[in-house]
């Protein structure tokens, strides 16, 4: 049952849409979401110029913590000599969608 204090756990956050949907479900069930743990923060913009995590934290006044983020992944990929093309593609993608 979704009652009492709820910690939301999700695999990845992109725009924050799934978290917003879950918050509605939790609230309608009478639960109280107190935080979110994300496996991977893609560090992308939400619906504004802020990151999806910043938007969710502000909208719901709860902390959102990620285990790893795209900076961590890029740091690892840069250490791999055969990943230069992948790093370039990620950087290009992040120029358009990242924060």
């Amino acid at each position: 049952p979704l009652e009492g204090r709820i910690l939301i756990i999700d695999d990845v956050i992109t725009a924050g849409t799934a978290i917003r949907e879950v918050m509605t479900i939790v609230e309608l069930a009478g639960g109280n979401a107190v935080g979110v743990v994300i496996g991977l923060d893609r560090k992308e913009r939400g619906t504004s110029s802020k990151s999806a995590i910043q938007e969710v934290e502000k909208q719901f006044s709860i902390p959102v913590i990620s285990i790893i983020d795209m900076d961590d992944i890029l740091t690892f990929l840069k250490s791999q000599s055969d990943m230069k093309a992948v790093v370039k593609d990620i950087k290009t993608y992040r120029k358009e969608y990242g924060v």
Side-chain angles (χ1 to χ4, degrees):
L2 294 174
E3 53 190 39
R5 295 168 47 93
I6 308 288
L7 176 65
I8 298 168
I9 300 173
D10 202 357
D11 59 346
V12 65
I13 188 167
T14 304
T17 305
I19 298 300
R20 288 180 181 89
E21 291 173 0
V22 168
M23 290 296 292
T24 300
I25 293 167
V26 168
E27 288 170 2
L28 289 173
N32 178 30
V34 296
V36 179
V37 175
I38 302 293
L40 170 64
D41 175 10
R42 292 175 52 147
K43 296 189 99 170
E44 293 188 15
R45 286 187 308 275
T47 58
S48 69
S49 62
K50 296 182 185 233
S51 75
I53 283 182
Q54 290 171 321
E55 288 180 353
V56 168
E57 287 179 327
K58 183 175 181 179
Q59 181 178 356
F60 299 105
S61 299
I62 58 173
V64 179
I65 299 167
S66 66
I67 297 169
I68 63 169
D69 63 34
M70 283 307 295
D71 292 335
D72 299 321
I73 291 173
L74 276 173
T75 297
F76 171 75
L77 290 174
K78 287 176 185 177
S79 73
Q80 307 300 305
S81 60
D82 60 338
M83 291 287 136
K84 290 183 191 232
V86 173
V87 169
K88 182 181 176 195
D89 290 344
I90 291 172
K91 285 182 176 182
T92 300
Y93 180 87
R94 289 186 78 192
K95 282 181 185 175
E96 186 168 348
Y97 301 104
V99 289

